[in-house]
Amino acid sequence: TGVLFSIQEAEAKAAARCVAELLSADGREPKDVVILTPALTHAHLYQQELRARGIEPYLVRGKGYYSQEEIADVRAFLRILVDPHDDMALAAVLRSPFVGLSDDGLYLLGKAAGTAGAVSLWEVTADGTCSRLSRRDRDLIARLHSQALTLRGRVGRPGLARLIDDAVTLTRYDVRLLSSSEGARRFANIRKLMRLADEYEALNGPHLSGFVEVMETMEDISDQEGSAA
């Protein structure tokens, strides 16, 4: 396995060197060059070597679009707008860049919910009974409640794409995303999601729960949707 991996590394280096020569010596543009591989098992090696030469690659296939972290984050946020008592979705939102709650904070919330016999984590966060949370975590949760209440008033109204846009803007998720690794590409995926939301709404109306279910279904099945360019 180690030998095969070394061969793949050598191939990735050679491919990156060839692409760099095409771009510099032949004056081609990045969009003119395509690398075809029989499988995507070692795609990350090609991406790594291209980036080392200052070339930003665009992977057409690979980890499914609906499985991308930023898409999963937005899906979880939309899910709590539909049903704030969805503990899995709320936990995902709390730990995502949407909120940034600490690990200790999430643990304490779960413990408080169990002790109080609460219906859901949302119930505990709503009444502020978890006094053991740090001031920072309490402020983050209070902000999420305010943002969620503002956006929940829009559920069911026309404009799914605008709702997604407002969600990532109001929470400053867009700023955090753009400042992360490959931020521009990841933000492009959010913009693509807005276009998909427009297409869904044109056929099915502004049904947020239905759109979320479509996103979840696409992740569960063989997700062949490519990331945004």
Side-chain angles (χ1 to χ4, degrees):
T1 303
V3 174
L4 290 175
F5 189 67
S6 296
I7 292 174
Q8 292 293 341
E9 287 182 320
E11 287 184 349
K13 290 181 183 294
R17 182 172 61 251
C18 181
V19 171
E21 290 173 356
L22 287 172
L23 297 180
S24 59
D26 293 357
R28 297 179 185 274
E29 296 183 26
K31 65 183 180 64
D32 298 325
V33 182
V34 177
I35 298 177
L36 302 178
T37 62
L40 289 165
T41 308
H42 301 290
H44 66 285
L45 295 176
Y46 293 86
Q47 292 178 297
Q48 176 181 302
E49 293 300 329
L50 287 167
R51 291 192 178 106
R53 293 177 176 272
I55 305 167
E56 181 60 34
Y58 169 47
L59 185 64
V60 176
R61 296 281 290 276
K63 183 179 180 182
Y65 168 77
Y66 289 96
S67 300
Q68 296 293 330
E69 183 179 344
E70 58 274 14
I71 300 304
D73 286 347
V74 173
R75 184 178 68 246
F77 193 93
L78 296 178
R79 171 60 73 186
I80 68 168
L81 294 183
V82 174
D83 178 15
H85 299 289
D86 185 324
D87 281 353
M88 292 297 291
L90 179 56
V93 170
L94 289 171
R95 287 297 292 125
S96 78
F98 271 111
V99 179
L101 192 74
S102 68
D103 287 332
D104 287 344
L106 187 58
Y107 168 76
L108 290 172
L109 279 178
K111 189 173 182 179
T115 301
V119 174
S120 65
L121 286 177
W122 184 263
E123 183 179 338
V124 176
T125 61
D127 62 19
T129 56
C130 192
S131 59
R132 296 179 62 189
L133 287 172
S134 68
R135 176 61 182 272
R136 173 185 178 275
D137 282 345
R138 287 200 301 271
D139 289 345
L140 290 173
I141 290 173
R143 189 178 307 144
L144 172 64
H145 269 271
S146 175
Q147 294 163 344
L149 288 174
T150 297
L151 294 167
R152 285 193 72 196
R154 301 262 306 281
V155 174
R157 298 180 183 178
L160 286 180
R162 181 63 183 274
L163 178 61
I164 295 172
D165 191 17
D166 288 347
V168 299
T169 302
L170 180 63
T171 59
R172 293 182 63 79
Y173 182 86
D174 55 349
V175 176
R176 299 183 188 99
L177 196 65
L178 286 168
S179 63
S180 67
S181 175
E182 297 186 64
R185 175 63 48 74
R186 298 177 69 191
F187 187 67
N189 278 335
I190 301 297
R191 289 299 183 190
K192 176 173 181 175
L193 185 64
M194 293 182 205
R195 293 194 295 273
L196 293 172
D198 274 336
E199 294 173 5
Y200 174 87
E201 185 171 356
L203 294 173
N204 303 283
H207 304 299
L208 182 59
S209 60
F211 181 60
V212 172
E213 288 175 5
V214 167
M215 295 172 67
E216 292 172 347
T217 300
M218 292 302 296
E219 182 184 16
D220 291 339
I221 65 177
S222 181
D223 181 1
Q224 303 298 329
E225 182 73 38
S227 292

